[in-house]
C-alpha cells in the first residue's frame, strides 16, 4: 500500500480522534474516580487526597454486611417481579392493540402518559392513594363492607407489593411502545403466508410474531432490567426502604450510606458491585440477542425459500 493510500485510509480516523478522546475521557474518568474512591476510607469532610487508602476493606465489609446482602436480594426480587409483569402486560397490550380501529391513536397516547410523569410525583401520588384512611384503595375496600383496609405501606409484604404496582403502572407503557413498534414492522409476507396456510391468530402470535420480535424484546428487557436495578425516587418517597429492610433496594442503600452514614468509600464500593453485576447481565443479554438475531435470519430465509 502506497503512502498516499495509507494517508487516505487514516484521514477519517484523524478527524474522529479528538471527539473520541473527549468521549472516552468523559465516560471513563467518573468511573475511574469511583473505583479509586472505593479503596478509601473517605468522608465528605475530607478532600479525596486526604482520605486513608484501605485497599479492598470496603468490599470485604460489604460481603459480610447482612443489611447490604439483604438489599441486594430485595433488588433482584424487585427487578425480576416488575420486569416480568411489565413484559407480559406490555407485550399483551401491544398484541391486543396492533390493529386499525377508530380511536386507536388516542388510546395509544393515553397508555404512554404514566411514563411522562416525574418519578417523585409518581411516588407522592401513589403514597396518597395507599393512605390507610383517606387513600382510594382502602376507602373502596371499606365501602365494599370490609372493616379493615390493607396496610399498604406499614406491612413488609404489602409494601413490596405496593412499590411493584407503582413501578408496573409507570413503566409498562415503555414495553408497550417498543413491542408495538416491533410488531408493526414485521414482514407482512410471513403473516400473509401463515393466513393462507390456515394458521389461527394464536399460532401466528406464538410461531411468527413473538419469534420475529425476539431481538427487540430482548433489548427492551435489558433496558428495563438495568433501570429496575437503579430505581430510587419512587421507593424513597413511598416507603423509604421500610418497613424494616423489606423495600430497601441497593440504590437506596447506596444513597443512605453516602448521605446519612457519610461513608463515601463504602458507597462507591456498593456502586461498583452493582456496576459489575449490570455489566455481566448486559454482556449475557447481548450474546443471547446475537443468537436470536441469527435464528430470526434463518427463519426469514427459510420462509423466503418456501415462497419461491
Amino acid at each position: 500500500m502506497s503512502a498516499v493510500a495509507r494517508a487516505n485510509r487514516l484521514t477519517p480516523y484523524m478527524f474522529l480522534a479528538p471527539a473520541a478522546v473527549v468521549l472516552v475521557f468523559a465516560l471513563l474518568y467518573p468511573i475511574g474516580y469511583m473505583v479509586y474512591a472505593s479503596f478509601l476510607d473517605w468522608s465528605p469532610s475530607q478532600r479525596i487526597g486526604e482520605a486513608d487508602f484501605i485497599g479492598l476493606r470496603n468490599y470485604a465489609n460489604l460481603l459480610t454486611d447482612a443489611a447490604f446482602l439483604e438489599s441486594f436480594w430485595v433488588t433482584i426480587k424487585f427487578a425480576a417481579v416488575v420486569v416480568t409483569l411489565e413484559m407480559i402486560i406490555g407485550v399483551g397490550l401491544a398484541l391486543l392493540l396492533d390493529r386499525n380501529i377508530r380511536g386507536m391513536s388516542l388510546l395509544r397516547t393515553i397508555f404512554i402518559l404514566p411514563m411522562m410523569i416525574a418519578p417523585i410525583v409518581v411516588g407522592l401520588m401513589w403514597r396518597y392513594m395507599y393512605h390507610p384512611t383517606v387513600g382510594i384503595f382502602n376507602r373502596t375496600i371499606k365501602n365494599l363492607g370490609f372493616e379493615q383496609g390493607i396496610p399498604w405501606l406499614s406491612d413488609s409484604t404489602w409494601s413490596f407489593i405496593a412499590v411493584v404496582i407503582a413501578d408496573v403502572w409507570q413503566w409498562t407503557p415503555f414495553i408497550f411502545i417498543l413491542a408495538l413498534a416491533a410488531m408493526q414492522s414485521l414482514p407482512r409476507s410471513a403473516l400473509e403466508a401463515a393466513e393462507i396456510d390456515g394458521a389461527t391468530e394464536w399460532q401466528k402470535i406464538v410461531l411468527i410474531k413473538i419469534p420475529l420480535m425476539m431481538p427487540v424484546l430482548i433489548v427492551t428487557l435489558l433496558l428495563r432490567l438495568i433501570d429496575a436495578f437503579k430505581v430510587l425516587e419512587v421507593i424513597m418517597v413511598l416507603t423509604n426502604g421500610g418497613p424494616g429492610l423489606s423495600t430497601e433496594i441497593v440504590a437506596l442503600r447506596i444513597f443512605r450510606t453516602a448521605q446519612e452514614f457519610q461513608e463515601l468509600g463504602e458507597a462507591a464500593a456498593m456502586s461498583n458491585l452493582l456496576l459489575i453485576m449490570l455489566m455481566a447481565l448486559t454482556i449475557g443479554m447481548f450474546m443471547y440477542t446475537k443468537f436470536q438475531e441469527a435464528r430470526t435470519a434463518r427463519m426469514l430465509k427459510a420462509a423466503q425459500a418456501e415462497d419461491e
Side-chain angles (χ1 to χ4, degrees):
M1 184 181 294
S2 67
V4 175
R6 281 200 298 273
N8 289 336
R9 189 176 178 182
L10 292 175
T11 299
Y13 297 103
M14 292 172 64
F15 281 110
L16 290 173
V21 169
V22 171
L23 185 62
V24 169
F25 182 78
L27 287 174
L28 296 184
Y29 180 77
I31 295 176
Y33 195 87
M34 186 175 67
V35 171
Y36 175 63
S38 70
F39 298 132
L40 303 175
D41 182 13
W42 183 26
S43 70
S45 60
Q46 297 172 297
R47 289 184 300 176
I48 191 167
E50 298 171 347
D52 294 331
F53 185 84
I54 58 173
L56 296 174
R57 194 189 304 168
N58 283 327
Y59 293 95
N61 291 340
L62 289 177
L63 295 178
T64 57
D65 183 352
F68 174 71
L69 296 178
E70 176 66 19
S71 68
F72 227 96
W73 165 241
V74 172
T75 305
I76 293 172
K77 187 170 62 170
F78 173 78
V81 172
V82 298
V83 174
T84 301
L85 291 174
E86 288 164 9
M87 289 296 292
I88 292 172
I89 300 172
V91 175
L93 286 173
L95 289 167
L96 190 66
L97 299 180
D98 180 30
R99 59 199 72 218
N100 293 320
I101 59 177
R102 195 169 183 179
M104 191 54 67
S105 298
L106 176 62
L107 197 57
R108 290 170 182 164
T109 305
I110 293 172
F111 269 120
I112 65 174
L113 286 178
M115 59 184 289
M116 299 179 184
I117 304 173
I120 291 288
V121 177
V122 172
L124 286 171
M125 186 177 70
W126 282 92
R127 186 177 178 83
Y128 287 121
M129 289 197 291
Y130 287 138
H131 194 279
T133 55
V134 299
I136 185 171
F137 297 117
N138 278 355
R139 275 196 301 167
T140 304
I141 290 171
K142 289 176 181 176
N143 288 339
L144 291 174
F146 295 94
E147 293 184 2
Q148 298 292 328
I150 295 175
W152 290 103
L153 303 179
S154 57
D155 176 83
S156 58
T157 301
W158 282 109
S159 62
F160 184 82
I161 294 172
V163 296
V164 166
I165 292 173
D167 193 89
V168 169
W169 176 82
Q170 185 173 26
W171 291 111
T172 295
F174 176 76
I175 309 289
F176 165 69
I177 289 174
L178 295 186
L180 186 62
M183 205 171 298
Q184 294 182 340
S185 64
L186 294 179
R188 293 295 149 185
S189 58
L191 296 173
E192 290 168 358
E195 287 176 3
I196 293 171
D197 292 340
T200 63
E201 192 61 33
W202 175 251
Q203 288 172 325
K204 284 193 289 183
I205 291 172
V206 174
L207 301 176
I208 299 176
K209 289 185 178 181
I210 297 296
L212 291 179
M213 291 167 56
M214 196 54 75
V216 174
L217 293 181
I218 290 173
V219 173
T220 306
L221 175 68
L222 176 62
L223 292 174
R224 275 305 300 141
L225 272 175
I226 291 174
D227 200 49
F229 272 95
K230 298 186 301 177
V231 65
L232 174 64
E233 296 95 331
V234 173
I235 293 180
M236 183 186 289
V237 173
L238 268 179
T239 64
N240 199 25
L245 299 177
S246 59
T247 58
E248 187 180 79
I249 60 169
V250 170
L252 184 56
R253 186 77 188 169
I254 293 171
F255 176 81
R256 280 182 165 171
T257 302
Q259 188 70 21
E260 296 178 17
F261 309 143
Q262 307 281 295
E263 294 287 349
L264 298 183
E266 194 170 308
M270 290 181 188
S271 299
N272 289 333
L273 290 177
L274 184 61
L275 177 65
I276 291 169
M277 192 179 74
L278 290 177
M279 284 178 63
L281 182 66
T282 303
I283 292 171
M285 295 290 283
F286 272 123
M287 290 176 66
Y288 188 68
T289 303
K290 290 291 183 187
F291 168 76
Q292 284 296 339
E293 286 176 348
R295 185 183 173 197
T296 302
R298 287 196 300 272
M299 287 178 60
L300 290 174
K301 191 174 179 180
Q304 289 173 352
E306 287 183 4
D307 291 341
E308 293 171 359

